[in-house]
Amino acid sequence: LTKQNATATATISEGFDDPAYDEPGSVWYTLGTLHGEKADNDLAIECYQKALDTPGFDKPGDAYNNMGSAYEAKAENIRAIEWYQKALDTPGYDTPHLTLNNLAYSLRQMGRLDEALEAVGRVLGEPGTEGQHLLGASQEGYALSVRRHPPDDPPGVAILPL
């Protein structure tokens, strides 16, 4: 995968030199994604920031969410939460349920379980989340479980000892 990422990074970087290519923000965003997959989170953050700084960049919510994920991978949950909130505050952001799930994970990592439950409960209020079951284990020996089957059932949320 590392060799594939290096090849993809080199190919995408060529887009910066092509005068016909008019979406450098998308190139920076894709580079950020590739560096994140390589666990080079500092470089991923730098690339996402360059995408956000590009006039006309059309995916700010996605970049904010991915910035949060990069900070979360660095165990900087406070900063991750800030970026997730920016994603959720972005007008027209089309995947808030993904960010809410990420937000819940960071909150749980910080021991803020009531807030994590609230965020996951909000996931179930988003369109397209019917029938989901989310489960994640924490280092403290607890799991966060959310269920909703069928769509008209109220969500069930619980913190369970492992």
Side-chain angles (χ1 to χ4, degrees), residues 30-88:
T30 302
L31 284 170
T33 301
L34 290 168
H35 288 299
E37 288 175 5
K38 290 173 46 179
D40 190 347
N41 295 302
D42 290 325
L43 194 49
I45 289 166
E46 183 180 323
C47 290
Y48 291 132
Q49 187 60 59
K50 287 181 180 182
L52 289 165
D53 292 342
T54 302
F57 177 62
D58 64 349
K59 295 182 184 181
D62 292 335
Y64 293 142
N65 178 64
N66 289 358
M67 291 267 281
S69 294
Y71 280 111
E72 182 181 287
K74 294 174 55 161
E76 294 183 31
N77 288 303
I78 292 173
R79 293 192 78 186
I81 290 167
E82 292 170 1
W83 287 103
Y84 292 144
Q85 193 57 55
K86 284 184 180 189
L88 293 169

